[in-house]
């Protein structure tokens, strides 16, 4: 259980960093994009997606 939490937290951190880097390099200049027009939105969205992606890598325990 503890390993699953650690893996998910790593995913959130990497996703947040990636989201912020996406905002810096590609982000929406016009301000009409809901996610990429602000750094906070892009960072939070990246963190959410990273957490979900890394959480998929965690193996669930077998039930007897």
């Amino acid at each position: 259980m503890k390993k699953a939490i650690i893996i998910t937290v790593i995913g959130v951190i990497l996703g947040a960093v990636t989201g912020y880097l996406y905002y810096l390099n590609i982000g929406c200049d016009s301000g009409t994009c809901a996610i990429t027009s602000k750094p906070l939105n892009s960072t939070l969205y990246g963190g959410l997606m990273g957490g979900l992606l890394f959480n998929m890598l965690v193996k669930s325990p077998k039930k007897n």
Side-chain angles (χ1 to χ4, degrees), residues 1 15 45 57:
M1 185 69 174
Y45 185 76
L57 302 175

Side-chain angles (χ1 to χ4, degrees), residues 18-32:
T18 304
Y20 186 73
L21 290 175
Y22 184 86
Y23 164 76
L24 285 178
N25 296 321
I26 300 173
C28 183
D29 291 333
S30 66
T32 58

Side-chain angles (χ1 to χ4, degrees), residues 27-49:
C28 183
D29 291 333
S30 66
T32 58
C33 308
I35 295 172
T36 59
S37 63
K38 297 179 184 176
L40 180 63
N41 293 347
S42 184
T43 303
L44 291 176
Y45 185 76
L48 176 67
M49 290 299 119

Side-chain angles (χ1 to χ4, degrees), residues 1-16 46-59:
M1 185 69 174
K2 190 173 184 177
K3 184 177 179 181
I5 294 172
I6 291 172
I7 290 173
T8 305
V9 168
I10 290 171
V12 169
I13 292 169
L14 288 175
L48 176 67
M49 290 299 119
L52 290 173
L53 181 67
F54 274 58
N55 195 15
M56 288 180 4
L57 302 175
V58 176
K59 295 181 181 177

